[in-house]
Amino acid sequence: MRNIILIGAGQIGSRHLQALKSIQIPLNIYVVDPSNSSLLTAKERYNLVNIQNIHNIVYVQKPENITGTKKIDLAIVATNSDVRSDVVKNLLRFFEIRNLILEKILFNKLEDYVSVDKLLEEKKCRCWVDMSMRTMPFYNSLKKKFDKDAVLYSVTGSSFGLITNAIHYIDYIAYLSDCYDYEIITDYLEAKPVESKRKGFLELNGTICLNYKNGSKGFLTCFTNGNLPVQMEIISSNCKYIVKESEKKAWVANSKNRWKWKEINIDIPYQSQMTNLVVESILNKGTCPLTSYKKSAKLHVVLLDSLYKFLNESSNTKRKFYPFT
Ligand SMILES: NC(=O)c1ccc[n+]([C@@H]2O[C@H](COP(=O)([O-])OP(=O)(O)OC[C@H]3O[C@@H](n4cnc5c(N)ncnc54)[C@H](O)[C@@H]3O)[C@@H](O)[C@H]2O)c1
């Protein structure tokens, strides 16, 4: 049996767990969360998935309660960013972890990006970050259409969680253009942070501008007011797309079709339909299409450090960490 640890069984962790149920390789799954109510909800959600269970599942409140094996084929860390680096460091010290998937936003301190990188190398652990747009069939297929051209990428909507989602869009632009060098302009953000939907964390509204070395540009705008649905536009000199995930529709126009808009139906899978695919790929082939830790850490640090400077310069509170998750 292969051994999997899932640490953090909250909203997204319980969806990762649901996905694991459909894996056809028998697994020992250890679910770890200090919150009994998170463990109970995760268990309920797992049981709701209408597939015959072939796995052995153990629910525990601390990783130390996992007895019997130290060799772990794969661990998923789905806690919030504030505890993630400690959780990862403890995991890597206590177990022999071969593969790791981490949730975004990775960590809340700059030094953790370096120390975790070192530890991963020392322990020879492969690591990816769950920025899944590039793995979704629709978004994945656009890479060929844009053919690494510089793109103009915009996202607009009301109160959609600009910072927690920005890293998904930043990663997706990097994927489309094969370019991981970028800078951020924070001048058009609103100075006052707002509470995140995740307790104890912050969000920002306004516009983030992204400038990639290959010429791609991004404009991510989140309005404080209203209920504008999230809309994405991706434009190059040969092709343009409008995407409305909430309507499961996209519109495409290109030079070949004389720029005539064509409507297409799109499928945006849930996390509970995706984690199984990356886990199976890792267990069978030792790799998966998610972004590697190194590339993801590079994208995270540019975003978080710019936002950190922006927050500290625009308010009297001098923070010692990144208050985002
Ligand atoms: N990749 C994506 O598309 C995606 C989607 C949603 C959320 N996320 C990210 O996942 C993270 C978690 O989000 P959420 O909505 O599930 O939050 P959540 O608060 O629902 O879940 C966090 C869980 O971690 C548990 N926890 C806290 N400390 C722990 C520890 N030391 N060890 C183990 N578990 C611990 C909490 O008890 C809780 O159950 C956030 O960083 C969020 O941005 C990513």
Side-chain angles (χ1 to χ4, degrees):
M1 298 266 274
R2 305 288 194 95
N3 296 315
I4 295 205
I5 299 186
L6 169 64
I7 303 232
Q11 289 310 318
I12 198 73
S14 59
R15 303 304 175 189
H16 288 304
L17 182 64
Q18 285 187 312
L20 295 180
K21 192 162 183 180
S22 66
I23 292 184
Q24 289 307 304
I25 309 162
L27 305 168
N28 285 315
I29 306 174
Y30 301 96
V31 185
V32 186
D33 199 305
S35 154
N36 211 23
S37 86
S38 290
L39 288 179
L40 282 174
T41 309
K43 194 174 187 176
E44 268 169 31
R45 288 185 176 169
Y46 186 85
N47 291 336
L48 277 176
V49 179
N50 198 8
I51 298 173
Q52 200 196 344
N53 180 38
I54 60 162
H55 308 307
N56 175 32
I57 312 199
V58 180
Y59 296 87
V60 292
Q61 286 180 291
K62 293 181 199 163
E64 300 88 283
N65 297 349
I66 300 172
T67 50
T69 185
K70 289 264 183 279
K71 287 190 195 286
I72 303 297
D73 294 283
L74 181 122
I76 302 174
V77 180
T79 64
N80 279 300
S81 62
D82 53 347
V83 295
R84 197 172 349 264
S85 71
D86 282 347
V87 164
V88 169
K89 287 174 189 172
N90 286 340
L91 261 183
L92 289 170
R93 286 184 186 130
F94 198 72
F95 297 94
E96 281 174 45
I97 313 266
R98 277 184 213 141
N99 302 289
L100 192 55
I101 297 175
L102 304 179
E103 266 308 339
K104 46 53 74 175
I105 283 174
L106 280 169
F107 315 122
N108 69 353
K109 287 188 223 74
L110 182 60
E111 57 265 32
D112 290 331
Y113 288 82
V114 180
S115 55
V116 169
D117 189 29
K118 273 193 190 149
L119 197 56
L120 287 169
E121 286 200 355
E122 191 188 310
K123 300 286 180 184
K124 297 190 173 44
C125 174
R126 289 175 288 218
C127 181
W128 296 268
V129 181
D130 186 29
M131 304 190 294
S132 50
M133 279 179 78
R134 56 171 67 209
T135 72
M136 298 178 188
F138 168 69
Y139 289 120
N140 183 276
S141 70
L142 299 199
K143 186 172 170 119
K144 271 197 196 129
K145 315 266 179 200
F146 285 102
D147 199 20
K148 295 185 197 164
D149 280 351
V151 295
L152 176 71
Y153 186 99
S154 95
V155 178
T156 45
S158 292
S159 305
F160 63 84
L162 177 64
I163 307 306
T164 193
N165 284 302
I167 195 69
H168 282 303
Y169 304 130
I170 289 168
D171 179 63
Y172 186 57
I173 301 171
Y175 164 75
L176 284 181
S177 17
D178 263 348
C179 175
Y180 292 79
D181 287 314
Y182 79 110
E183 57 179 17
I184 290 197
I185 297 135
T186 53
D187 294 0
Y188 311 110
L189 280 168
E190 290 174 20
K192 199 167 175 280
V194 293
E195 296 292 315
S196 150
K197 70 173 185 181
R198 297 188 182 91
K199 206 164 170 268
F201 298 94
L202 296 181
E203 265 299 335
L204 290 165
N205 288 320
T207 299
I208 291 178
C209 306
L210 310 165
N211 188 16
Y212 286 71
K213 209 173 177 178
N214 78 326
S216 290
K217 305 272 184 276
F219 298 91
L220 314 177
T221 297
C222 187
F223 296 103
T224 313
N225 301 317
N227 57 2
L228 180 73
V230 173
Q231 176 169 312
M232 192 182 304
E233 284 159 50
I234 317 172
I235 302 172
S236 76
S237 54
N238 285 315
C239 181
K240 56 184 178 178
Y241 277 83
I242 297 174
V243 185
K244 294 189 189 177
E245 287 189 6
S246 58
E247 293 179 27
K248 295 189 171 180
K249 287 208 184 304
W251 290 263
V252 56
N254 52 41
S255 51
K256 273 191 216 147
N257 291 345
R258 297 186 187 173
W259 300 107
K260 202 168 173 270
W261 285 112
K262 183 182 158 205
E263 185 176 286
I264 48 179
N265 294 321
I266 58 168
D267 181 31
I268 304 295
Y270 295 116
Q271 193 65 54
S272 56
Q273 300 167 310
M274 292 191 289
T275 311
N276 48 319
L277 303 178
V278 291
V279 169
E280 274 175 339
S281 170
I282 292 171
L283 295 181
N284 290 330
K285 298 186 218 154
T287 189
C288 79
L290 288 172
T291 315
S292 68
Y293 174 82
K294 271 190 197 297
K295 283 183 172 167
S296 178
K298 183 173 174 174
L299 297 177
H300 270 78
V301 166
V302 174
L303 171 71
L304 295 171
D305 228 38
S306 310
L307 294 175
Y308 176 73
K309 285 182 190 130
F310 169 80
L311 271 183
N312 280 356
E313 280 163 16
S314 58
S315 81
N316 291 327
T317 326
K318 299 292 170 232
R319 289 166 219 279
K320 294 202 167 70
F321 55 89
Y322 311 136
F324 308 107
T325 193

